[in-house]
Amino acid sequence: MARTTSNKTETSAPESPAVLDLAASDSQSTPQDETTDETIDEIEEIEEAVEVEEAQDVDSILNSLKTLLSTVEKLQKVRQEVGDIKPLLVRMLDGELMAGEDLEQLKTGVGGLLRLVRAYSDHQAALTKAQPARSLLDEVLKVPRSS
């Protein structure tokens, strides 16, 4: 930076931001082994955030268990509604003609197969999502998992 004073022109080297930051940090630095109130506050905030996250994880796990229970109930209900149509389907696939009660049961069963497949798919998804509950149960109930 050029500066004019009376008859002389002085030129000083511009100070870089890195030099200014270093000088500022040197004047404000504290020893590493000294814990400041700010550091303690930051640690407490981090601990609180971890506790909140863990509570949310537990809530998520419990909700996934509730969902799994609901899907098990749905799957059982749909299975019961559809009934055991496998023997009827096999007979029909073998070319046997159906009539009367067997035909009505087959129609109801085939109509319910789509619901059964969806219920089974929902159950499998809920089962996968609920797997973290195993480690939570081990931790909370202190029950060792059998292999």
Side-chain angles (χ1 to χ4, degrees):
M1 167 185 256
R3 183 170 42 157
T4 308
T5 54
S6 23
N7 293 336
K8 291 184 181 177
T9 302
E10 293 179 21
T11 306
S12 63
E15 292 191 31
S16 73
V19 172
L20 292 175
D21 288 344
L22 182 59
S25 68
D26 283 346
S27 65
Q28 296 175 353
S29 66
T30 58
Q32 288 183 352
D33 59 337
E34 182 180 316
T35 306
T36 64
D37 288 339
E38 290 177 10
T39 305
I40 293 172
D41 290 343
E42 288 174 6
I43 291 171
E44 288 174 353
E45 287 175 10
I46 291 170
E47 287 174 347
E48 288 173 8
V50 167
E51 288 173 6
V52 167
E53 187 175 320
E54 287 174 355
Q56 289 173 342
D57 287 346
V58 170
D59 287 345
S60 174
I61 289 170
L62 292 175
N63 285 336
S64 67
L65 284 174
K66 289 177 185 177
T67 302
L68 178 60
L69 179 61
S70 173
T71 60
V72 167
E73 290 173 341
K74 252 191 221 178
L75 183 58
Q76 288 176 341
K77 182 180 177 185
V78 172
R79 278 184 180 167
Q80 195 172 29
E81 288 174 2
V82 170
D84 187 17
I85 63 162
K86 185 177 178 181
L88 295 174
L89 285 172
V90 170
R91 286 174 42 200
M92 183 178 73
L93 291 170
D94 286 343
E96 187 177 326
L97 296 176
M98 302 284 175
E101 190 177 313
D102 286 346
L103 182 59
E104 290 304 314
Q105 187 178 2
L106 191 58
K107 285 180 183 179
T108 303
V110 169
L113 278 178
L114 181 59
R115 289 186 326 208
L116 184 61
V117 169
R118 284 184 185 156
Y120 181 76
S121 175
D122 292 346
H123 175 258
Q124 290 301 308
L127 187 60
T128 301
K129 190 174 180 183
Q131 288 307 306
R134 289 182 185 268
S135 58
L136 178 66
L137 289 172
D138 289 348
E139 191 175 311
V140 171
L141 300 176
K142 304 291 185 212
V143 176
R145 262 193 278 182
S146 60
S147 298

